Amino acid sequence: MKIEKAGEGKYFIFFHILYLGNVDFHKDKLVELVKKLLQRLKQRLLLHGFYKVKVYLHSKIGLFLELVQLEDLDYDDSLDFRVLVFLDEKIYFRTKDYYCLPNDASIYYDRGYFYCDVNFLTDILSVVEFGEFIYGKRLYPIMFRWQKC
């Protein structure tokens, strides 16, 4: 699990697939799972209010959550989520080290970074320290600029 605070009321949270165990890939089950996971993190992150949660799932890697606080409710114990699940989103691994990426993958380059589709990564844990995962609205502007290596 990795938690990154990106500003006031905004978090990026990653849960590795090994932490989650057997994940049911149906939207309703994912929404339930995400709500349970966030309830466990409530005290640690001091969550209260109403949050929009974007969920990006990859069967080999895990869950990526983007939390944005929409409203700060009057009661300290009140916590509610609007969960949006994106099942078919592209997820790429971004790194400055070309040699940590697999040889048989399509690799792209843009502004000092190399990008590889995570489906080509066989051992995620061996490369995760050399870069980061890019997905959603952060990925699409880059895809229009990158060049194939």
Side-chain angles (χ1 to χ4, degrees):
M1 177 172 62
K2 178 181 177 184
I3 300 171
E4 179 183 332
K5 186 168 183 170
E8 190 63 37
K10 186 171 184 177
Y11 298 92
F12 295 109
I13 303 173
F14 167 66
F15 294 98
H16 192 275
I17 198 73
L18 295 176
Y19 179 83
L20 299 172
N22 294 332
V23 177
D24 190 355
F25 294 111
H26 293 89
K27 279 191 176 186
D28 294 337
K29 297 290 184 181
L30 283 172
V31 169
E32 286 178 35
L33 174 65
V34 167
K35 286 182 178 181
K36 285 180 186 176
L37 291 170
L38 292 174
Q39 284 291 341
R40 289 184 199 161
L41 292 174
K42 177 181 177 179
Q43 296 299 324
R44 183 174 177 183
L45 300 178
L46 302 174
L47 297 177
H48 63 281
F50 182 59
Y51 290 84
K52 178 170 73 173
V53 183
K54 292 182 182 178
V55 179
Y56 299 91
L57 173 71
H58 192 277
S59 60
K60 265 175 59 175
I61 300 171
L63 282 176
F64 298 90
L65 307 180
E66 291 182 11
L67 271 78
V68 177
Q69 187 176 29
L70 298 177
E71 189 174 341
D72 189 12
L73 301 176
D74 294 336
Y75 304 105
D76 288 338
D77 282 345
S78 60
L79 183 62
D80 196 13
F81 304 106
R82 178 174 181 240
V83 180
L84 305 169
V85 178
F86 299 95
L87 292 174
D88 297 326
E89 288 290 315
K90 294 183 182 296
I91 300 175
Y92 277 77
F93 183 72
R94 176 169 93 167
T95 183
K96 288 190 174 196
D97 185 5
Y98 176 84
Y99 296 104
C100 75
L101 299 175
N103 295 333
D104 60 343
S106 296
I107 299 173
Y108 302 95
Y109 178 80
D110 180 53
R111 299 181 183 179
Y113 290 99
F114 296 97
Y115 297 85
C116 174
D117 189 336
V118 295
N119 290 317
F120 291 102
L121 299 176
T122 55
D123 187 12
I124 303 287
L125 295 176
S126 67
V127 298
V128 74
E129 66 184 90
F130 300 111
E132 65 179 328
F133 297 104
I134 302 292
Y135 51 89
K137 69 180 180 180
R138 291 180 56 204
L139 175 64
Y140 294 114
I142 296 167
M143 290 177 79
F144 290 112
R145 295 189 311 255
W146 67 24
Q147 303 292 320
K148 186 169 180 151
C149 293

